[in-house]
Amino acid sequence: MSIKLFNSQASMFCEKVRVVLALKNAPYEVIDVRKDERKSLIEYTGQRKVPSMNYNGECVIDSTVISARLEKDYPANTIYPEGTTNKGLCLALEDWSDEVLIHANHAIRRADTQEARQKAEAEWNTHFNTLDQMYAGRKFLFERMTLADISIFSQLHYLYTTVKYEIPAKYKNVNAFLENMRQTLKLKTLADSFDAPSL
Ligand SMILES: N[C@@H](CCC(=O)N[C@@H](CS)C(=O)NCC(=O)O)C(=O)O
């Protein structure tokens, strides 16, 4: 089995896949797309986005598709919760994080006026409120760490590390979730990006 991950260390979606690979204890090689300005990525996949993967000769693109593909061959340490209903909810939350929280991250990163910054912070406050209720009284959204938590963490972690935005202390459950994920992923500090080969 040969797994090659086309990776950009700063990408939140690549971090999401690196966490899944580590959880599965699946050995993989990293191809840093910044080294050749995505030339080998484009040659192999015909597109520019990471994460992409050469999975034993099979071209797999997109963090959701890659995660599902890994789950199929590495069912131990499942990334989904028990039961069909919860699996559906987990996938919906993964999608919400990947499509909605990413928008808030782009908005705050690209804000170049005070007005744009305020609007982006307001967008994040709405999501912090939602997340604070979702994580009230629980370490993870389901009975263990699942893809929903990993996706949400990767967006919040990007906000903290790349955007350098501190989540306001009043969102106690969101901050507690981040600290719990830091410990679970064995990051020395929240400023580190995740690249451990296993958990
Ligand atoms: N839905 C995709 C999003 C991937 C994505 O947006 N990747 C960004 C980096 S975070 C990228 O490679 N952008 C480069 C480009 O679009 O040219 C996933 O889950 O993998």
Side-chain angles (χ1 to χ4, degrees), residues 120-152:
E121 285 187 10
E123 188 177 338
W124 260 118
N125 279 328
T126 302
H127 300 318
F128 292 148
N129 259 312
T130 304
L131 287 164
D132 217 53
Q133 291 171 79
M134 278 161 60
Y135 282 102
R138 49 169 76 169
K139 273 174 83 171
F140 300 118
L141 292 175
F142 300 96
E143 67 276 9
R144 59 173 161 265
M145 181 173 78
T146 65
L147 196 54
D149 302 299
I150 298 169
S151 299
I152 291 167

Side-chain angles (χ1 to χ4, degrees), residues 11-13 16 38 48-51 62-64 98-99:
S11 155
M12 59 287 261
F13 296 105
K16 175 182 161 191
R38 300 188 185 237
R48 295 183 46 83
K49 284 203 174 172
V50 288
D62 190 287
S63 64
T64 301
D98 288 358
E99 302 298 329

Side-chain angles (χ1 to χ4, degrees), residues 8 10-14 16-17 33 38 41 47-52 61-66 94-95 98-99 102 106 155 158:
S8 169
S11 155
M12 59 287 261
F13 296 105
C14 289
K16 175 182 161 191
V17 166
V33 296
R38 300 188 185 237
L41 166 74
Q47 53 89 60
R48 295 183 46 83
K49 284 203 174 172
V50 288
S52 294
I61 300 165
D62 190 287
S63 64
T64 301
V65 182
I66 292 171
E94 181 206 7
D95 194 52
D98 288 358
E99 302 298 329
I102 181 75
H106 284 327
Q155 295 299 334
Y158 181 89

Side-chain angles (χ1 to χ4, degrees), residues 25-180:
N25 210 0
Y28 66 101
E29 192 187 313
V30 167
I31 301 171
D32 180 353
V33 296
R34 289 166 304 183
K35 278 201 176 147
D36 66 355
E37 292 168 341
R38 300 188 185 237
K39 197 168 166 280
S40 54
L41 166 74
I42 294 164
E43 257 169 30
Y44 183 67
T45 68
Q47 53 89 60
R48 295 183 46 83
K49 284 203 174 172
V50 288
S52 294
M53 192 174 266
N54 178 337
Y55 185 80
N56 228 15
E58 179 187 337
C59 176
V60 191
I61 300 165
D62 190 287
S63 64
T64 301
V65 182
I66 292 171
S67 300
R69 187 71 188 81
L70 287 168
E71 176 78 9
K72 205 171 157 218
D73 286 1
Y74 297 84
N77 296 332
T78 178
I79 52 173
Y80 303 117
E82 287 302 315
T84 311
T85 312
N86 278 348
K87 182 173 178 193
L89 275 174
C90 176
L91 291 171
L93 290 166
E94 181 206 7
D95 194 52
W96 171 74
S97 177
D98 288 358
E99 302 298 329
V100 177
L101 297 186
I102 181 75
H103 180 272
N105 261 334
H106 284 327
I108 199 160
R109 185 137 192 238
R110 290 171 188 160
D112 54 2
T113 63
Q114 211 186 344
E115 196 193 351
R117 174 79 185 193
Q118 276 170 1
K119 207 173 155 221
E121 285 187 10
E123 188 177 338
W124 260 118
N125 279 328
T126 302
H127 300 318
F128 292 148
N129 259 312
T130 304
L131 287 164
D132 217 53
Q133 291 171 79
M134 278 161 60
Y135 282 102
R138 49 169 76 169
K139 273 174 83 171
F140 300 118
L141 292 175
F142 300 96
E143 67 276 9
R144 59 173 161 265
M145 181 173 78
T146 65
L147 196 54
D149 302 299
I150 298 169
S151 299
I152 291 167
F153 172 75
S154 64
Q155 295 299 334
L156 293 175
H157 199 208
Y158 181 89
L159 179 67
Y160 183 84
T161 53
T162 304
V163 183
K164 304 211 179 307
Y165 186 82
E166 295 258 354
I167 297 171
K170 70 173 175 174
Y171 300 111
K172 286 196 180 67
N173 303 324
V174 182
N175 279 297
F177 166 67
L178 273 183
E179 173 55 19
N180 173 39

